[in-house]
Amino acid sequence: MNIRLPWPRRRPAPAAFPAPAPVPLHTPGTELPPGAVPFDVALRIAREALARHGGANIHSRTAMFYAAGDLDHALRTLVTALDHPQDS
């Protein structure tokens, strides 16, 4: 028995594009060279980042995205400055 429907058949959805390979946020070969930023500058960068994002809306994905990126950079700069003090 062949039944005809009053509406056209749905076409299958097109195939999705393949997702790109994930890129790590931290690769040791791309860090700043040891002692590139003095400790006092790294501490100022970290304090400014904390002040800039201290009042960010935790429910905003955009605000949290930018805060996470900025604070990650500030923390890595501070840790690098602490691990490799400059000879002043």
Coordinates of all heavy atoms in Angstrom, one line a residue:
M1 N 0.8 -1.2 0.0 CA 0.0 0.0 0.0 C 0.9 1.2 0.0 O 1.8 1.4 0.8 CB -0.9 0.0 1.2 CG -1.8 1.1 1.3 SD -2.9 0.7 2.7 CE -3.9 2.0 2.6
N2 N 0.6 2.1 -0.9 CA 1.4 3.3 -1.1 C 0.6 4.5 -0.6 O -0.5 4.8 -1.2 CB 1.8 3.5 -2.5 CG 2.9 4.5 -2.7 OD1 3.3 5.1 -1.7 ND2 3.3 4.7 -3.9
I3 N 1.0 5.2 0.4 CA 0.3 6.4 1.0 C 1.0 7.6 0.6 O 2.2 7.7 0.8 CB 0.2 6.3 2.5 CG1 -0.5 5.0 2.9 CG2 -0.5 7.5 3.1 CD1 -0.6 4.8 4.4
R4 N 0.3 8.6 0.1 CA 0.8 9.9 -0.2 C 0.5 10.9 0.9 O -0.6 11.0 1.3 CB 0.3 10.4 -1.6 CG 0.8 9.6 -2.7 CD 0.7 10.3 -4.0 NE 1.3 11.6 -4.1 CZ 2.5 11.8 -4.7 NH1 3.2 10.8 -5.1 NH2 2.9 13.0 -4.7
L5 N 1.5 11.5 1.4 CA 1.4 12.5 2.4 C 1.0 13.9 1.8 O 1.5 14.2 0.7 CB 2.6 12.6 3.3 CG 3.0 11.3 4.0 CD1 4.3 11.5 4.7 CD2 2.0 10.9 5.0
P6 N 0.2 14.7 2.5 CA -0.1 16.0 1.9 C 1.0 17.0 2.0 O 0.9 18.1 1.4 CB -1.3 16.4 2.7 CG -1.2 15.7 4.0 CD -0.5 14.4 3.7
W7 N 2.1 16.7 2.7 CA 3.2 17.7 2.8 C 4.5 17.0 2.2 O 4.6 15.7 2.2 CB 3.5 18.1 4.2 CG 3.7 17.0 5.2 CD1 4.8 16.4 5.5 CD2 2.7 16.3 5.9 NE1 4.6 15.4 6.4 CE2 3.3 15.3 6.7 CE3 1.3 16.4 6.0 CZ2 2.6 14.5 7.5 CZ3 0.6 15.6 6.9 CH2 1.3 14.6 7.6
P8 N 5.4 17.7 1.8 CA 6.6 17.1 1.2 C 7.5 16.5 2.3 O 7.5 16.8 3.5 CB 7.4 18.3 0.6 CG 6.9 19.5 1.2 CD 5.5 19.2 1.7
R9 N 8.2 15.5 1.9 CA 9.1 14.8 2.8 C 10.3 15.7 3.2 O 10.7 16.6 2.4 CB 9.8 13.6 2.2 CG 8.9 12.4 2.2 CD 9.6 11.2 1.8 NE 8.7 10.2 1.4 CZ 9.0 9.0 0.9 NH1 10.3 8.7 0.7 NH2 8.1 8.1 0.7
R10 N 10.7 15.5 4.4 CA 11.9 16.3 4.9 C 13.2 15.8 4.2 O 13.3 14.5 4.1 CB 12.1 16.2 6.4 CG 11.2 17.1 7.1 CD 11.7 17.2 8.5 NE 10.8 18.0 9.3 CZ 10.9 18.1 10.6 NH1 11.8 17.5 11.3 NH2 10.0 18.9 11.2
R11 N 14.0 16.6 3.8 CA 15.3 16.2 3.3 C 16.2 16.0 4.5 O 16.1 16.7 5.5 CB 15.9 17.3 2.4 CG 15.0 17.4 1.1 CD 15.7 18.4 0.2 NE 14.8 18.6 -0.9 CZ 15.2 19.1 -2.1 NH1 16.4 19.6 -2.2 NH2 14.4 19.2 -3.1
P12 N 17.1 15.1 4.3 CA 18.1 14.9 5.4 C 19.0 16.1 5.6 O 19.3 16.8 4.6 CB 18.9 13.7 5.0 CG 18.7 13.5 3.5 CD 17.4 14.2 3.2
A13 N 19.3 16.4 6.8 CA 20.2 17.5 7.1 C 21.6 17.3 6.5 O 22.1 16.2 6.5 CB 20.3 17.7 8.6
P14 N 22.2 18.4 6.0 CA 23.5 18.3 5.4 C 24.5 17.9 6.5 O 24.3 18.2 7.7 CB 23.8 19.7 4.9 CG 22.9 20.6 5.6 CD 21.7 19.8 6.0
A15 N 25.5 17.2 6.1 CA 26.6 16.8 7.0 C 27.3 18.0 7.6 O 27.5 19.0 7.0 CB 27.6 15.9 6.3
A16 N 27.5 17.9 8.9 CA 28.2 19.1 9.6 C 29.7 19.1 9.2 O 30.3 18.1 8.9 CB 28.1 18.9 11.1
F17 N 30.3 20.3 9.3 CA 31.7 20.4 9.0 C 32.5 19.7 10.1 O 32.1 19.8 11.3 CB 32.1 21.9 8.9 CG 31.6 22.6 7.7 CD1 30.5 23.5 7.8 CD2 32.1 22.3 6.4 CE1 30.0 24.1 6.7 CE2 31.6 22.9 5.3 CZ 30.6 23.8 5.4
P18 N 33.6 19.1 9.8 CA 34.4 18.5 10.9 C 34.9 19.6 11.9 O 35.3 20.7 11.4 CB 35.5 17.8 10.2 CG 35.6 18.5 8.9 CD 34.2 19.0 8.5
A19 N 34.9 19.3 13.1 CA 35.4 20.2 14.1 C 37.0 20.3 14.0 O 37.6 19.3 13.8 CB 35.0 19.8 15.5
P20 N 37.5 21.5 14.2 CA 39.0 21.6 14.2 C 39.6 20.9 15.4 O 38.9 20.7 16.4 CB 39.2 23.1 14.2 CG 38.0 23.7 14.8 CD 36.9 22.8 14.4
A21 N 40.8 20.5 15.3 CA 41.5 19.8 16.4 C 41.7 20.8 17.5 O 41.9 22.0 17.3 CB 42.9 19.4 15.9
P22 N 41.6 20.4 18.8 CA 41.7 21.3 19.9 C 43.1 21.8 20.0 O 44.1 21.1 19.7 CB 41.3 20.5 21.1 CG 41.5 19.1 20.7 CD 41.3 19.0 19.2
V23 N 43.2 23.1 20.4 CA 44.5 23.7 20.6 C 44.7 24.0 22.1 O 43.9 24.6 22.7 CB 44.6 25.1 19.8 CG1 45.9 25.8 20.0 CG2 44.3 24.9 18.3
P24 N 45.8 23.5 22.6 CA 46.0 23.7 24.1 C 46.3 25.2 24.4 O 46.8 25.9 23.6 CB 47.3 22.8 24.4 CG 48.0 22.7 23.1 CD 46.9 22.8 22.0
L25 N 45.8 25.6 25.6 CA 46.1 26.9 26.0 C 47.5 27.2 26.4 O 48.0 28.3 26.4 CB 45.1 27.3 27.2 CG 43.6 27.3 26.9 CD1 42.9 27.5 28.2 CD2 43.3 28.4 25.9
H26 N 48.2 26.1 26.8 CA 49.6 26.3 27.3 C 50.5 25.3 26.6 O 50.3 24.1 26.6 CB 49.6 26.0 28.8 CG 51.0 25.9 29.4 ND1 51.8 27.0 29.5 CD2 51.7 24.8 29.8 CE1 52.9 26.6 30.0 NE2 52.9 25.3 30.2
T27 N 51.4 25.9 25.9 CA 52.5 25.1 25.3 C 53.8 25.6 25.8 O 54.1 26.8 25.7 CB 52.4 25.2 23.8 OG1 52.4 26.5 23.4 CG2 51.2 24.5 23.2
P28 N 54.7 24.8 26.4 CA 55.9 25.3 27.0 C 56.8 26.0 26.0 O 57.5 26.9 26.4 CB 56.6 24.0 27.5 CG 55.5 23.0 27.7 CD 54.5 23.4 26.6
G29 N 56.8 25.7 24.7 CA 57.7 26.4 23.8 C 57.3 27.8 23.5 O 58.1 28.5 22.9
T30 N 56.1 28.3 23.9 CA 55.7 29.6 23.5 C 55.6 30.6 24.7 O 55.1 31.7 24.6 CB 54.2 29.6 22.9 OG1 53.4 29.0 23.9 CG2 54.2 28.8 21.6
E31 N 56.2 30.1 25.9 CA 56.2 31.0 27.0 C 57.2 32.1 26.8 O 58.1 32.0 26.0 CB 56.5 30.2 28.3 CG 55.4 29.4 28.8 CD 55.7 28.8 30.2 OE1 56.9 28.8 30.5 OE2 54.8 28.4 30.8
L32 N 57.1 33.2 27.7 CA 58.0 34.2 27.7 C 59.4 33.7 28.1 O 59.4 32.8 28.9 CB 57.6 35.4 28.6 CG 56.3 36.1 28.2 CD1 55.9 37.1 29.3 CD2 56.6 36.9 26.9
P33 N 60.5 34.2 27.6 CA 61.8 33.8 28.1 C 61.9 34.1 29.6 O 61.3 35.1 30.1 CB 62.8 34.6 27.3 CG 62.0 35.6 26.6 CD 60.6 35.2 26.6
P34 N 62.7 33.4 30.4 CA 62.8 33.6 31.8 C 63.3 35.1 32.1 O 64.2 35.6 31.4 CB 63.9 32.6 32.2 CG 63.9 31.6 31.2 CD 63.5 32.2 29.9
G35 N 62.6 35.7 33.0 CA 63.0 37.1 33.4 C 62.6 38.1 32.4 O 63.1 39.2 32.5
A36 N 61.7 37.9 31.5 CA 61.4 38.9 30.5 C 60.6 40.0 31.1 O 60.7 41.2 30.6 CB 60.5 38.2 29.4
V37 N 59.9 39.8 32.2 CA 59.1 40.9 32.9 C 59.6 40.9 34.3 O 59.6 39.9 35.0 CB 57.6 40.6 32.8 CG1 56.8 41.7 33.5 CG2 57.2 40.5 31.4
P38 N 60.0 42.1 34.8 CA 60.4 42.2 36.2 C 59.2 41.9 37.1 O 58.1 42.0 36.7 CB 60.9 43.6 36.3 CG 61.1 44.1 35.0 CD 60.2 43.3 34.1
F39 N 59.6 41.5 38.3 CA 58.5 41.1 39.3 C 57.5 42.2 39.6 O 56.3 42.0 39.6 CB 59.2 40.6 40.6 CG 58.1 40.3 41.7 CD1 57.3 39.2 41.6 CD2 58.0 41.2 42.7 CE1 56.4 38.9 42.5 CE2 57.1 40.9 43.7 CZ 56.2 39.8 43.6
D40 N 58.0 43.5 39.8 CA 57.1 44.6 40.1 C 56.2 44.9 38.9 O 55.0 45.2 39.2 CB 57.9 45.8 40.5 CG 58.9 46.3 39.4 OD1 59.3 45.4 38.6 OD2 59.3 47.5 39.4
V41 N 56.6 44.7 37.7 CA 55.7 44.9 36.6 C 54.7 43.8 36.5 O 53.5 44.0 36.3 CB 56.5 45.0 35.2 CG1 55.6 45.0 34.0 CG2 57.5 46.1 35.3
A42 N 55.1 42.5 36.7 CA 54.2 41.4 36.7 C 53.1 41.5 37.8 O 52.0 41.2 37.6 CB 54.9 40.1 36.9
L43 N 53.6 42.0 39.0 CA 52.6 42.2 40.1 C 51.6 43.3 39.8 O 50.4 43.2 40.0 CB 53.4 42.6 41.4 CG 52.6 42.6 42.7 CD1 51.9 41.3 42.9 CD2 53.5 43.0 43.8
R44 N 52.1 44.4 39.1 CA 51.2 45.5 38.7 C 50.2 45.0 37.6 O 49.0 45.3 37.7 CB 52.0 46.6 38.1 CG 51.1 47.8 37.7 CD 51.9 49.0 37.1 NE 52.9 48.6 36.1 CZ 52.6 48.4 34.8 NH1 51.4 48.6 34.4 NH2 53.6 48.1 34.0
I45 N 50.6 44.1 36.7 CA 49.7 43.6 35.7 C 48.7 42.7 36.4 O 47.5 42.8 36.0 CB 50.5 42.7 34.7 CG1 51.4 43.7 33.8 CG2 49.6 41.9 33.8 CD1 52.4 42.9 32.9
A46 N 49.0 41.9 37.4 CA 48.1 41.0 38.1 C 47.1 41.9 38.8 O 45.9 41.6 38.8 CB 48.8 40.1 39.0
R47 N 47.6 42.9 39.5 CA 46.6 43.8 40.3 C 45.7 44.5 39.4 O 44.5 44.6 39.7 CB 47.4 44.7 41.1 CG 48.1 44.1 42.3 CD 48.8 45.1 43.2 NE 49.3 44.4 44.4 CZ 50.3 44.8 45.1 NH1 51.0 45.9 44.7 NH2 50.7 44.2 46.1
E48 N 46.1 45.0 38.3 CA 45.2 45.7 37.3 C 44.2 44.7 36.7 O 43.0 45.1 36.6 CB 46.1 46.3 36.2 CG 46.8 47.5 36.6 CD 47.8 48.0 35.5 OE1 47.8 47.5 34.4 OE2 48.4 49.0 35.8
A49 N 44.6 43.5 36.5 CA 43.6 42.5 35.9 C 42.6 42.2 37.0 O 41.4 42.0 36.7 CB 44.4 41.2 35.5
L50 N 43.0 42.0 38.2 CA 42.0 41.7 39.3 C 41.1 42.9 39.5 O 39.9 42.7 39.7 CB 42.8 41.5 40.6 CG 43.4 40.1 40.7 CD1 44.3 40.0 42.0 CD2 42.3 39.0 40.8
A51 N 41.6 44.1 39.4 CA 40.7 45.3 39.6 C 39.8 45.4 38.4 O 38.6 45.8 38.5 CB 41.6 46.6 39.7
R52 N 40.3 45.1 37.2 CA 39.4 45.2 36.0 C 38.3 44.2 36.0 O 37.2 44.5 35.5 CB 40.3 45.0 34.8 CG 39.8 45.5 33.5 CD 40.8 45.5 32.3 NE 41.9 44.6 32.4 CZ 43.2 44.9 32.6 NH1 43.5 46.1 32.9 NH2 44.1 43.9 32.6
H53 N 38.5 43.0 36.5 CA 37.5 42.0 36.4 C 36.9 41.6 37.7 O 36.1 40.6 37.8 CB 38.1 40.7 35.8 CG 38.6 41.0 34.4 ND1 37.8 41.2 33.3 CD2 39.9 41.0 33.9 CE1 38.5 41.4 32.2 NE2 39.8 41.3 32.6
G54 N 37.2 42.4 38.8 CA 36.6 42.1 40.1 C 35.1 42.2 40.2 O 34.5 41.4 40.9
G55 N 34.5 43.1 39.4 CA 33.1 43.2 39.5 C 32.4 42.6 38.3 O 31.2 43.0 38.0
A56 N 33.0 41.7 37.6 CA 32.4 41.1 36.4 C 31.2 40.3 36.8 O 31.2 39.6 37.8 CB 33.4 40.3 35.6
N57 N 30.2 40.2 35.9 CA 29.0 39.5 36.1 C 29.3 38.0 35.9 O 29.7 37.6 34.8 CB 27.9 39.9 35.1 CG 26.6 39.2 35.3 OD1 26.5 38.3 36.2 ND2 25.6 39.5 34.5
I58 N 29.2 37.2 36.9 CA 29.5 35.8 36.9 C 28.5 35.0 36.0 O 28.8 33.9 35.5 CB 29.6 35.2 38.3 CG1 30.3 33.8 38.2 CG2 28.2 35.0 38.9 CD1 30.7 33.3 39.6
H59 N 27.4 35.6 35.7 CA 26.4 34.9 34.8 C 26.6 35.3 33.4 O 25.8 34.8 32.5 CB 25.0 35.2 35.3 CG 24.7 34.8 36.7 ND1 24.6 33.5 37.1 CD2 24.6 35.5 37.9 CE1 24.4 33.4 38.4 NE2 24.4 34.7 38.9
S60 N 27.5 36.1 33.0 CA 27.8 36.5 31.7 C 28.9 35.7 31.1 O 30.0 35.8 31.6 CB 28.1 38.0 31.6 OG 28.6 38.3 30.3
R61 N 28.6 34.9 30.1 CA 29.7 34.1 29.5 C 30.8 35.0 28.9 O 31.9 34.6 29.0 CB 29.1 33.2 28.4 CG 28.3 32.1 28.9 CD 27.9 31.2 27.8 NE 27.1 30.0 28.3 CZ 26.9 29.0 27.7 NH1 27.2 28.9 26.4 NH2 26.2 28.0 28.2
T62 N 30.4 36.1 28.3 CA 31.4 36.9 27.6 C 32.3 37.5 28.7 O 33.5 37.5 28.5 CB 30.6 38.0 26.8 OG1 29.7 37.5 25.9 CG2 31.6 38.9 26.1
A63 N 31.7 38.0 29.8 CA 32.5 38.6 30.8 C 33.5 37.6 31.4 O 34.7 37.9 31.7 CB 31.6 39.2 31.9
M64 N 33.0 36.4 31.6 CA 33.8 35.4 32.2 C 34.9 34.9 31.3 O 36.0 34.6 31.7 CB 33.0 34.2 32.7 CG 32.1 34.5 33.9 SD 33.1 34.8 35.4 CE 32.9 36.6 35.5
F65 N 34.6 34.9 30.0 CA 35.6 34.5 29.0 C 36.8 35.5 29.0 O 37.9 35.1 29.0 CB 34.9 34.5 27.6 CG 35.9 34.2 26.5 CD1 36.3 32.9 26.2 CD2 36.3 35.2 25.6 CE1 37.1 32.6 25.2 CE2 37.2 34.9 24.6 CZ 37.6 33.6 24.4
Y66 N 36.4 36.8 28.9 CA 37.5 37.8 28.9 C 38.2 37.8 30.3 O 39.5 38.0 30.3 CB 36.9 39.2 28.6 CG 36.6 39.3 27.1 CD1 35.3 39.4 26.7 CD2 37.6 39.3 26.2 CE1 35.0 39.6 25.4 CE2 37.3 39.4 24.8 CZ 36.0 39.6 24.4 OH 35.7 39.6 23.1
A67 N 37.5 37.7 31.4 CA 38.2 37.6 32.7 C 39.2 36.5 32.8 O 40.3 36.6 33.3 CB 37.2 37.6 33.8
A68 N 38.7 35.3 32.3 CA 39.6 34.1 32.4 C 40.8 34.3 31.5 O 41.9 34.0 32.0 CB 38.8 32.9 31.9
G69 N 40.7 34.8 30.3 CA 41.9 35.0 29.5 C 42.9 36.1 30.1 O 44.1 35.8 30.1
D70 N 42.3 37.2 30.6 CA 43.2 38.2 31.1 C 43.8 37.8 32.4 O 45.0 38.0 32.6 CB 42.3 39.5 31.4 CG 43.1 40.7 31.6 OD1 44.3 40.7 31.2 OD2 42.6 41.7 32.1
L71 N 43.1 37.1 33.3 CA 43.7 36.6 34.6 C 44.7 35.5 34.3 O 45.6 35.4 35.1 CB 42.6 36.2 35.5 CG 41.7 37.4 36.0 CD1 40.5 36.8 36.8 CD2 42.5 38.3 36.9
D72 N 44.4 34.6 33.3 CA 45.4 33.6 33.0 C 46.7 34.2 32.6 O 47.8 33.7 33.0 CB 44.8 32.7 31.9 CG 45.8 31.6 31.5 OD1 46.1 30.7 32.3 OD2 46.2 31.7 30.3
H73 N 46.6 35.2 31.7 CA 47.9 35.9 31.3 C 48.6 36.5 32.5 O 49.8 36.4 32.6 CB 47.5 36.9 30.2 CG 48.7 37.7 29.8 ND1 48.9 39.0 30.4 CD2 49.7 37.5 29.0 CE1 50.1 39.5 29.8 NE2 50.5 38.6 29.0
A74 N 47.8 37.2 33.3 CA 48.5 37.9 34.5 C 49.1 36.8 35.4 O 50.2 37.1 35.9 CB 47.4 38.7 35.2
L75 N 48.4 35.7 35.7 CA 49.0 34.7 36.6 C 50.2 34.1 36.0 O 51.2 33.9 36.7 CB 47.9 33.7 36.9 CG 48.3 32.5 37.8 CD1 48.7 33.1 39.2 CD2 47.2 31.5 37.9
R76 N 50.2 33.7 34.7 CA 51.4 33.1 34.1 C 52.6 34.1 34.1 O 53.7 33.7 34.3 CB 51.1 32.7 32.7 CG 50.2 31.5 32.6 CD 50.0 30.9 31.2 NE 49.0 29.9 31.2 CZ 49.2 28.7 31.5 NH1 50.3 28.3 31.9 NH2 48.2 27.8 31.4
T77 N 52.3 35.4 33.8 CA 53.4 36.4 33.9 C 54.0 36.5 35.3 O 55.2 36.5 35.5 CB 52.8 37.7 33.4 OG1 52.3 37.6 32.1 CG2 53.9 38.8 33.4
L78 N 53.1 36.5 36.3 CA 53.6 36.6 37.7 C 54.3 35.3 38.1 O 55.4 35.4 38.7 CB 52.3 36.8 38.6 CG 52.6 37.1 40.1 CD1 53.5 38.3 40.2 CD2 51.3 37.2 40.8
V79 N 53.9 34.2 37.7 CA 54.6 32.9 38.1 C 55.9 32.9 37.4 O 57.0 32.5 38.0 CB 53.7 31.7 37.7 CG1 54.5 30.4 37.8 CG2 52.5 31.6 38.7
T80 N 56.0 33.3 36.1 CA 57.3 33.3 35.4 C 58.3 34.3 36.1 O 59.4 34.0 36.2 CB 57.1 33.7 33.9 OG1 56.2 32.8 33.3 CG2 58.4 33.7 33.2
A81 N 57.8 35.4 36.5 CA 58.6 36.4 37.2 C 59.1 35.9 38.5 O 60.2 36.1 38.9 CB 57.9 37.7 37.4
L82 N 58.3 35.1 39.2 CA 58.7 34.5 40.5 C 59.6 33.4 40.3 O 60.6 33.2 41.1 CB 57.4 34.0 41.3 CG 56.6 35.1 41.9 CD1 55.3 34.5 42.5 CD2 57.3 35.8 43.0
D83 N 59.4 32.6 39.3 CA 60.3 31.4 39.1 C 61.7 31.8 38.6 O 62.7 31.1 38.8 CB 59.7 30.4 38.1 CG 58.6 29.6 38.7 OD1 58.5 29.6 39.9 OD2 57.8 29.0 37.9
H84 N 61.8 32.9 37.8 CA 63.0 33.3 37.2 C 63.3 34.8 37.6 O 63.1 35.7 36.8 CB 63.0 33.2 35.7 CG 62.6 31.8 35.3 ND1 63.5 30.7 35.3 CD2 61.4 31.3 34.8 CE1 62.9 29.6 34.9 NE2 61.7 29.9 34.6
P85 N 63.8 35.0 38.8 CA 64.1 36.4 39.2 C 65.2 37.0 38.3 O 66.1 36.3 38.0 CB 64.4 36.3 40.6 CG 64.9 34.9 40.8 CD 64.1 34.1 39.9
Q86 N 65.1 38.3 38.0 CA 66.1 38.9 37.2 C 67.3 39.3 38.2 O 67.1 39.7 39.3 CB 65.6 40.2 36.5 CG 64.7 39.9 35.4 CD 64.3 41.1 34.6 OE1 64.6 42.2 35.1 NE2 63.7 40.9 33.5
D87 N 68.5 39.3 37.6 CA 69.6 39.8 38.4 C 69.7 41.3 38.2 O 70.1 41.8 37.2 CB 70.9 39.1 37.8 CG 70.9 37.6 38.0 OD1 70.2 37.2 39.0 OD2 71.4 36.9 37.1
S88 N 69.3 42.0 39.3 CA 69.3 43.5 39.2 C 70.6 44.1 39.8 O 71.0 43.7 40.8 CB 68.1 44.1 39.9 OG 66.9 43.6 39.2

